[in-house]
């Protein structure tokens, strides 16, 4: 890619064609294939991106066509099309979780010689580190940034934080998670103390009426994994370039045992699936729980109490808060692409990804503006802004079925130890990691 000049922060729309004029695609049709293609088409036709498509087509002397690829099995259809010599798109929009399959089978063009250091420096938020964070496989970079989503200012859509009922804390005379976070004391220990204190049998019938914390511990034990990340660990670690199962490491064992203690010892956890916990929280029956950031507006519309938003509480082995994100989307190029520099520049301009085409200095404010109607205080809004810089992807184990989930449920809800359950499942998951990452 031609050098992206990082000092050029603001480019007016009328000057954009001049910047892109060095690439003349000769009137050819550029196919953008994606499981979100229909949404992209609408976005650029009737949504916030209207007018942008025409400017890019003029600048690059091309026509752009969107090709919808259904989500189910999309990665396999993309792979088959490239292997057959007829790629489904010239530009292909994927989740990073498909990289092991596509790049591992030689279907994608590495971009290490195309995307420069200046390019990465011109990206906003966590995307400056996209090579390490989500766009590389076996040491090679494959992704062109769209800042996590094709829609501008819709970054980190699967971000994970912690919502709480502030009214319950105030009524009990307890410090709120926002106050503790500001004081550097929002961690597992303070969360445990609050969860225990807020668990109440109001009518004295021996049945808990308000739980201190809600959690999806079973059947999809997502909370255990989130706690592992918050404690500086992960499902996978890389040792000498090899992917190694890490859920039997101390960071992970502590995370599992933390939830086990809250549930089995203190009885302060409402265990349920996603919608159960959310509904109970909205009715004032759960004091706090982990939540997807983009579910925040739904709760804002349904609750009649004050609430706050913070990071997942920090584990004892962590040195900073973390924002677990399920995946990041990006553009990749089929290995047969003959004009990679032009394709990368076209993405930058169409989606205003880099400082060459937009004011990156305004990135944070543009992002948090969306959430202004859905938070109750500036501290919660500041947490959302900080999340842009603390993304940590959920580990990806291709081919994994329910093996880890079942082991985590046994380790948390059963009587066996976390270490024994994780050791037992380790060979199965390590074999999957060897197949996906260690060839």
């Amino acid at each position: 890619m031609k050098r992206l000049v990082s000092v050029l922060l603001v480019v007016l729309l009328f000057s954009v064609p001049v910047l892109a004029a060095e690439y003349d695609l000769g009137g050819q049709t550029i196919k953008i294939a994606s499981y979100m293609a229909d949404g992209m088409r609408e976005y650029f036709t009737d949504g916030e991106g209207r007018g942008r498509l025409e400017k890019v087509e003029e600048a690059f002397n091309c026509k752009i066509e969107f090709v919808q690829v259904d989500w189910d099995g999309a990665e396999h259809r993309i792979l088959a099309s490239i292997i057959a010599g007829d790629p489904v798109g010239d530009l292909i929009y994927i989740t990073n979780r498909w990289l092991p399959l596509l790049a591992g089978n030689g279907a994608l063009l590495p971009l290490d010689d195309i995307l420069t250091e200046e390019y990465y420096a011109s990206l906003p938020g966590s995307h400056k580190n996209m090579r390490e964070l989500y766009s590389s496989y076996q040491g090679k970079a494959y992704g062109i940034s769209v800042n996590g989503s094709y829609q501008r200012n819709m970054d980190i859509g699967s971000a994970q934080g912690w919502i709480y009922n502030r009214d319950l804390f105030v009524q009990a005379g307890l410090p709120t998670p926002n106050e503790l976070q500001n004081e550097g004391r929002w961690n597992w220990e303070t969360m445990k103390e609050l969860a225990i204190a807020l668990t109440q049998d109001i009518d004295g019938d021996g049945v808990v009426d308000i739980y201190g914390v809600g959690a999806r511990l079973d059947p999809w034990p997502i909370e255990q994994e989130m706690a592992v990340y918050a404690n500086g660990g992960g499902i996978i670690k890389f040792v000498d370039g090899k992917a190694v199962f890490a859920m039997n490491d101390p960071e992970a064992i502590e995370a599992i045992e933390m939830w086990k203690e809250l549930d089995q010892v203190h009885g302060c956890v409402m265990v349920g699936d996603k919608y159960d916990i959310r509904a109970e929280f909205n009715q004032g029956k759960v004091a706090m729980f982990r939540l997807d950031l983009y579910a925040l507006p739904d709760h804002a519309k349904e609750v009649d109490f004050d609430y706050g938003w913070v990071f997942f509480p920090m584990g004892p082995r962590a040195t900073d808060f973390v924002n677990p994100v399920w995946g990041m989307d990006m553009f990749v190029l089929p290995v047969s692409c003959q004009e990679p520099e032009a394709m990368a520049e076209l993405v930058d301009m169409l989606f205003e990804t880099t400082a060459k085409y937009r004011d990156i200095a305004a990135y944070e404010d543009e992002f948090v503006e969306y959430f202004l109607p859905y938070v109750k205080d500036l501290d919660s809004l500041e947490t959302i802004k900080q999340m842009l810089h603390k993304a940590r992807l959920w580990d990806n184990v291709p081919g994994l079925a329910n093996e880890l989930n079942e082991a985590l449920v046994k380790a948390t809800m059963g009587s066996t130890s976390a270490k024994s359950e994780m050791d037992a499942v380790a060979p199965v998951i390590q074999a999957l990691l060897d197949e996906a990452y260690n060839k």
Side-chain angles (χ1 to χ4, degrees):
M1 176 183 288
K2 304 299 182 183
R3 286 174 60 91
L4 291 171
V5 183
S6 58
V7 297
L8 183 56
L9 294 177
V10 183
V11 180
L12 299 177
L13 285 178
F14 66 79
S15 69
V16 166
V18 175
L19 290 174
E22 56 198 304
Y23 297 107
D24 186 339
L25 298 178
Q28 66 178 289
T29 296
I30 302 299
K31 293 183 178 180
I32 293 180
S34 169
Y35 67 93
M36 296 290 289
D38 289 343
M40 289 182 182
R41 186 184 301 106
E42 181 178 353
Y43 177 78
F44 288 113
T45 302
D46 300 313
E48 294 180 5
R50 60 186 177 275
R52 190 74 183 167
L53 190 65
E54 292 77 11
K55 291 182 179 294
V56 174
E57 289 177 333
E58 178 185 355
F60 285 84
N61 186 22
C62 69
K63 295 297 292 183
I64 295 175
E65 176 184 328
F66 295 100
V67 179
Q68 179 69 23
V69 181
D70 291 340
W71 171 266
D72 290 339
E75 66 272 38
H76 296 286
R77 288 193 295 277
I78 291 169
L79 176 62
S81 74
I82 296 174
I83 291 176
D86 186 20
V88 66
D90 302 288
L91 284 162
I92 306 174
Y93 182 86
I94 69 168
T95 168
N96 71 288
R97 301 182 77 84
W98 297 346
L99 262 185
L101 176 69
L102 298 176
N105 284 283
L108 304 182
L109 184 70
L111 300 176
D112 299 282
D113 296 332
I114 307 301
L115 303 181
T116 65
E117 293 299 326
E118 290 85 355
Y119 170 78
Y120 293 109
S122 71
L123 298 171
S126 297
H127 304 289
K128 295 180 185 298
N129 304 315
M130 65 180 289
R131 281 175 296 185
E132 298 79 14
L133 187 60
Y134 63 87
S135 70
S136 294
Y137 175 75
Q138 293 187 335
K140 295 182 179 179
Y142 291 92
I144 305 168
S145 177
V146 283
N147 297 344
S149 173
Y150 78 87
Q151 297 182 65
R152 183 166 171 171
N153 309 327
M154 292 294 285
D155 237 49
I156 57 173
S158 56
Q160 305 294 308
W162 196 268
I163 192 172
Y164 66 93
N165 183 328
R166 186 180 279 112
D167 286 351
L168 290 178
F169 285 78
V170 173
Q171 291 165 11
L174 296 169
T176 68
N178 276 121
E179 292 169 342
L180 292 170
Q181 183 170 282
N182 289 341
E183 296 169 3
R185 298 193 298 121
W186 177 232
N187 53 46
W188 289 3
E189 286 306 312
T190 53
M191 184 271 286
K192 285 182 192 178
E193 293 171 4
L194 293 171
I196 295 168
L198 289 165
T199 299
Q200 305 172 55
D201 172 12
I202 296 174
D203 54 16
D205 64 354
V207 177
V208 173
D209 298 297
I210 299 176
Y211 282 90
V213 64
R216 297 176 67 185
L217 303 178
D218 176 25
W220 184 24
I222 186 173
E223 312 302 348
Q224 294 94 315
E225 293 182 12
M226 296 301 102
V228 173
Y229 300 143
N231 199 30
I235 299 174
I236 305 171
K237 63 183 178 182
F238 284 87
V239 180
D240 297 328
K242 300 292 186 180
V244 178
F245 180 65
M247 287 294 283
N248 49 6
D249 284 355
E251 294 86 349
I253 299 304
E254 288 178 353
I256 300 168
E257 291 176 341
M258 183 268 290
W259 280 115
K260 188 168 190 171
E261 177 190 344
L262 284 173
D263 180 48
Q264 295 196 23
V265 177
H266 303 296
C268 58
V269 183
M270 175 180 281
V271 178
D273 206 351
K274 175 169 61 176
Y275 297 106
D276 300 326
I277 297 298
R278 291 181 180 181
E280 297 293 335
F281 175 81
N282 291 347
Q283 296 172 26
K285 298 179 181 180
V286 174
M288 53 184 170
F289 74 107
R290 177 206 50 81
L291 180 69
D292 307 80
L293 176 59
Y294 274 93
L296 196 58
D298 292 336
H299 290 276
K301 298 171 185 175
E302 296 181 19
V303 304
D304 58 2
F305 52 78
D306 192 8
Y307 59 86
W309 176 263
V310 289
F311 282 97
F312 195 105
M314 191 187 305
R317 293 177 183 265
T319 57
D320 196 1
F321 292 111
V322 65
N323 167 26
V325 178
W326 181 79
M328 292 283 194
D329 288 346
M330 59 188 170
F331 274 104
V332 293
L333 303 178
V335 68
S336 58
C337 178
Q338 298 299 308
E339 298 171 304
E341 293 91 348
M343 294 298 101
E345 289 278 7
L346 189 150
V347 169
D348 293 344
M349 181 178 176
L350 183 59
F351 297 93
E352 297 183 290
T353 301
T354 66
K356 185 170 183 178
Y357 294 110
R358 64 180 292 193
D359 183 1
I360 298 299
Y363 167 75
E364 290 181 352
D365 292 336
E366 291 174 346
F367 178 75
V368 299
E369 182 180 359
Y370 171 82
F371 292 96
L372 276 172
Y374 310 120
V375 296
K376 303 288 189 178
D377 60 289
L378 291 177
D379 284 341
S380 295
L381 197 66
E382 178 61 27
T383 297
I384 293 172
K385 180 183 290 189
Q386 291 179 25
M387 282 184 155
L388 287 166
H389 302 278
K390 298 183 187 296
R392 193 270 193 225
L393 260 67
W394 300 16
D395 291 313
N396 181 21
V397 185
L400 183 64
N402 292 319
E403 297 91 348
L404 181 58
N405 285 354
E406 291 172 356
L408 283 171
V409 171
K410 289 179 182 178
T412 310
M413 312 296 290
S415 59
T416 54
S417 72
K419 186 68 165 61
S420 64
E421 293 295 346
M422 293 302 102
D423 284 345
V425 78
V428 175
I429 299 178
Q430 186 60 54
L432 295 172
L433 294 177
D434 289 340
E435 176 65 23
Y437 297 102
N438 301 335
K439 293 179 180 179

